[in-house]
Amino acid sequence: MATFNVRPDIDAAAAKLASTLGAKREIERLPEVLWEGETVEMLATGTYGKGSGVLAMTNRRLVFYFNGLLSQQVEDFPYNRISSVQWAAGMLMGTLTVFASGNKAEISQVPKAQGKPLADLLRQRMAGDIPGSAAPAAPEAGSTRDVASRLRTLDELRALGAITDEEYRDRRAKILDSV
């Protein structure tokens, strides 16, 4: 299995993938499309829209990310907008269908070993069975609630060992400076 050394949460999720074929670039560049304080819980590979990429289940949303040589695609599905999830699988591959805000997104060619657990975890999150599942889709910039939420997330990242004490101090200072 490939070693990425991107970020502890992303590395841990990538280590669980049987294959990263067609998604290495996306995994390496995933931090570019994540929000501040957003952590990756699970990854899967698949095809959606223009190409093959990575499906990232974070603490705030489900994100499909494709980064090709000539084009890039980011599609996100905030948990509070997802109304239904379907998983259909064949022998090795399956299709994850996400219904959000009246739209239907089909992510195909998802390996069965990745797709089924991701769909199950997504259903648990939608049902509110996972702590943090009621997280807002996007924080309101500059609000006191946003600052408190960002500091809480930062504390959680430090407690998990996802960031160093130095990174914690730097990020905390930036958050407090934004007030």
Side-chain angles (χ1 to χ4, degrees):
M1 183 52 33
T3 305
F4 290 95
N5 295 320
V6 177
R7 231 174 54 183
D9 59 323
I10 295 172
D11 295 341
K16 295 176 185 172
L17 296 175
S19 171
T20 57
L21 185 66
K24 290 180 183 177
R25 180 181 309 155
E26 287 80 2
I27 292 170
E28 290 171 349
R29 295 183 178 178
L30 192 55
E32 297 171 13
V33 298
L34 296 177
W35 297 331
E36 185 174 331
E38 191 171 22
T39 57
V40 174
E41 298 171 350
M42 186 179 284
L43 293 174
T45 58
T47 302
Y48 177 67
K50 296 180 181 180
S52 295
V54 67
L55 188 60
M57 186 171 175
T58 76
N59 60 328
R60 296 186 182 184
R61 61 191 170 140
L62 185 66
V63 180
F64 179 82
Y65 179 44
F66 163 71
N67 188 326
L69 294 173
L70 301 175
S71 65
Q72 180 177 339
Q73 176 183 0
V74 178
E75 181 89 24
D76 71 333
F77 308 93
Y79 296 129
N80 63 349
R81 304 276 168 119
I82 298 175
S83 59
S84 180
V85 175
Q86 292 178 349
W87 170 250
M91 291 288 282
L92 300 173
M93 301 291 192
T95 300
L96 179 71
T97 306
V98 178
F99 295 89
S101 301
N103 296 317
K104 175 181 168 181
E106 290 185 351
I107 298 102
S108 61
Q109 299 300 308
V110 178
K112 190 175 179 179
Q114 299 167 16
K116 171 92 170 83
L118 191 135
D120 291 344
L121 187 60
L122 186 53
R123 285 187 190 104
Q124 288 177 359
R125 183 170 290 283
M126 289 171 53
D129 294 343
I130 298 174
S133 60
E140 294 176 26
S143 72
T144 306
R145 185 175 176 186
D146 175 45
V147 171
S149 172
R150 291 169 62 196
L151 289 171
R152 201 170 25 259
T153 301
L154 191 61
D155 289 339
E156 291 170 6
L157 287 171
R158 185 169 108 185
L160 290 170
I163 59 173
T164 65
D165 287 339
E166 184 178 336
E167 289 172 314
Y168 172 82
R169 284 190 297 273
D170 291 344
R171 291 180 185 183
R172 188 172 193 280
K174 286 179 185 177
I175 291 169
L176 293 174
D177 287 344
S178 72
V179 176

